Amino acid sequence: MQAMNSSQTRKVLLVAGTRPEVIKMAALYQQLGEPDAKLDSRLCITAQHRDMIRPLMSLFGMVSDYDLDIMSPNQTLNSIVAKVSQRFDEVLADYKPDWVLVQGDTTTAMSAAIASFNRGSKIGHVEAGLRTPDIFNPFPEEMNRRVIDTISSAMFAPTTRSEAELLREGYDSDRVLVTGNTVVDALHIASEIPFTFDDPELARISDSDEFMVLVTAHRRESFDGGINRICEAIQTIARRWGSGINFVLPVHPNPNVKETVHSMLGSEPNVYLSTPIDYLPFINLMKRADLILTDSGGVQEEASTFGAPILVMREVTERMESIDAGLAKLVGTDTELIVDESCKAIEGGRKKAGLGDIANPYGDGKAAERILEFISSHD
Ligand code: UD1
Ligand code: UDP
């Protein structure tokens, strides 16, 4: 990033650690690196995810100034907290940022926010005000996001619904700004990049006329049975519809997900289990998909652009906007409900709203611009 510090220039430190944080920080990073940027900035990667962020950093041209290199296999939440707190403290001591921008609700974001608070840096929370009524669900994200908002000096709410939540909780309206979600900014950046499928199986599925279902599942609160029930549902649907339908399921590398998914679905001929798919092919699969089954927050937001019905496989969601707009349905991890709702969509055939017909309820692609304007004009 640029090094144009003068005594008056505000210093901003971006923090990211997992796949969705890198995607949702990309537009901010790129705008902070523009020659006329008014802020001095650095990027700190915790590497809570090591493998999954590598291709993203390269796609978005992101280079870290600090890399905490914390990931270990099957890591515990407290090991992430401990490593981030200790190693990020050294970054704060070195750079002495005025503002630290954290994104979302991961353990990286929460730990970096607490460390920043303790060092007296102001925190800007990108994607603030998302809430469910249950502190344990999603776990641990609901706690993380509430803690981050409590200690933030600026809360960048993606939608008016998240803004209303923050105001209802009593936060000062001067500290809350509705910006849109930076996930839509990233989609706009990606739509400019030329693309073809390198993976021959994805190319084959994408080119075929068959009904395609894209699936992602990774939530910690689903480890105790939810992932099994999701896999049972996919197995039932895949067998019922046979070769006329293709499932694509990029398997999250978390061992709690990977082992179950491979053992339950590994021998279904019409279920393609792949390693995590790079962002560009993944968003092109969302464009191509006739039905999307997901427990991912980011996928729920992005898929709203592409017109396929979305079934959200979680008990509660903090992203009600697409549900209220009729773009998504909340089905939990109940096998029967997932099967029934999927079969309804499959019976409806391959018809979906055309691209561009739908206004994404989560943002308009200008969130990063609004966030940086706010930071530039607030001490
Ligand atoms: C984390 C976030 C979750 C977010 C998700 C996005 C927390 C508590 N959880 O969950 O909010 O929705 O990322 O995907 O912050 N692994 C690899 N390579 C990688 C990434 C992960 O091997 O690039 C494996 C490792 O064994 C790692 C494990 O997955 O220990 C779990 O990673 P972790 O970040 O702790 O949890 P996620 O389930 O990915
Ligand atoms: N994604 C991706 N490849 C995949 C699955 C997801 O690039 O195989 C992207 C997706 O486009 C979205 C983000 O990863 O932007 C969502 O991340 P994830 O589901 O890991 O986390 P969540 O959004 O649930 O926190």
Side-chain angles (χ1 to χ4, degrees):
M1 294 177 101
Q2 95 274 13
M4 43 155 264
N5 194 24
S6 73
S7 52
Q8 285 91 13
T9 309
R10 287 189 190 90
K11 298 203 284 184
V12 181
L13 179 59
L14 298 185
V15 186
T18 63
R19 169 168 67 188
E21 290 167 273
V22 171
I23 293 167
K24 290 174 173 181
M25 284 298 201
L28 285 161
Y29 177 89
Q30 291 191 352
Q31 290 182 27
L32 282 164
E34 281 169 9
D36 58 349
K38 297 181 204 136
L39 298 156
D40 184 72
S41 58
R42 299 283 186 276
L43 172 65
C44 174
I45 290 296
T46 66
Q48 176 177 335
H49 287 172
R50 180 85 270 171
D51 322 300
M52 291 206 292
I53 64 170
R54 205 172 279 124
L56 287 166
M57 303 267 297
S58 135
L59 178 75
F60 291 114
M62 295 165 80
V63 179
S64 60
D65 300 290
Y66 302 97
D67 186 334
L68 308 187
D69 197 22
I70 68 153
M71 194 187 95
S72 60
N74 208 6
Q75 59 207 356
T76 63
L77 297 177
N78 287 333
S79 79
I80 305 172
V81 174
K83 288 186 200 167
V84 173
S85 306
Q86 188 160 31
R87 297 180 196 177
F88 189 62
D89 192 51
E90 291 166 22
V91 175
L92 293 166
D94 181 59
Y95 184 51
K96 301 182 182 62
D98 300 299
W99 282 93
V100 176
L101 295 186
V102 300
Q103 196 288 327
D105 50 23
T106 66
T107 301
T108 279
M110 184 273 289
S111 310
I114 291 181
S116 307
F117 182 82
N118 287 339
R119 280 265 178 193
S121 293
K122 287 189 291 288
I123 301 150
H125 187 195
V126 179
E127 199 181 80
L130 274 62
R131 293 290 186 274
T132 72
D134 180 0
I135 190 77
F136 294 102
N137 205 335
F139 179 85
E141 291 83 359
E142 185 62 25
M143 176 276 289
N144 287 342
R145 54 172 81 118
R146 292 191 201 187
V147 167
I148 298 169
D149 284 334
T150 304
I151 58 178
S152 288
S153 296
M155 281 158 270
F156 302 114
T159 64
T160 50
R161 187 185 188 103
S162 40
E163 176 197 40
E165 195 62 53
L166 291 164
L167 299 181
R168 196 186 59 75
E169 288 175 15
Y171 290 105
D172 178 354
S173 61
D174 291 351
R175 293 159 57 203
V176 179
L177 180 72
V178 179
T179 59
N181 197 306
T182 52
V183 79
V184 183
D185 300 31
L187 275 182
H188 286 208
I189 297 171
S191 67
E192 305 290 316
I193 306 173
F195 163 81
T196 50
F197 284 111
D198 289 336
D199 178 331
E201 184 58 6
L202 293 182
R204 183 195 69 74
I205 293 172
S206 171
D207 289 345
S208 84
D209 290 332
E210 289 160 358
F211 196 97
M212 182 203 139
V213 188
L214 180 63
V215 187
T216 78
H218 72 80
R219 304 227 70 86
R220 263 185 166 77
E221 65 273 15
S222 294
F223 292 170
D224 189 19
I227 299 283
N228 287 68
R229 291 191 293 277
I230 290 170
C231 290
E232 255 171 56
I234 293 167
Q235 195 183 62
T236 307
I237 308 161
R239 289 181 184 177
R240 187 173 299 173
W241 293 87
S243 57
I245 185 168
N246 292 297
F247 282 83
V248 175
L249 198 174
V251 185
H252 194 285
N254 192 322
N256 298 285
V257 177
K258 207 165 152 179
E259 283 155 27
T260 309
V261 171
H262 278 280
S263 77
M264 293 185 66
L265 298 172
S267 47
E268 299 301 321
N270 51 351
V271 179
Y272 179 49
L273 300 182
S274 77
T275 51
I277 296 172
D278 284 353
Y279 180 64
L280 277 189
F282 187 78
I283 57 180
N284 281 279
L285 286 171
M286 279 193 281
K287 270 186 205 171
R288 166 62 180 81
D290 302 298
L291 171 65
I292 297 178
L293 308 184
T294 190
D295 66 4
S296 158
V299 173
Q300 191 188 330
E301 290 155 352
E302 293 162 345
S304 304
T305 294
F306 296 119
I310 307 159
L311 299 182
V312 179
M313 301 185 295
R314 302 172 51 178
E315 303 311 323
V316 289
T317 176
E318 57 291 312
R319 292 165 167 94
M320 285 302 292
E321 291 83 348
S322 50
I323 312 257
D324 291 345
L327 300 167
K329 250 185 204 167
L330 194 60
V331 292
T333 57
D334 181 276
T335 305
E336 228 175 86
L337 195 53
I338 299 171
V339 171
D340 288 352
E341 289 295 336
S342 299
C343 288
K344 270 190 220 159
I346 297 166
E347 279 154 13
R350 293 202 58 205
K351 53 173 169 16
K352 61 179 190 179
L355 273 185
D357 291 352
I358 297 163
N360 189 308
Y362 296 102
D364 62 358
K366 295 195 171 108
E369 209 176 297
R370 296 185 184 108
I371 291 168
L372 295 181
E373 186 50 45
F374 183 98
I375 297 287
S376 306
S377 56
H378 286 75
D379 281 321

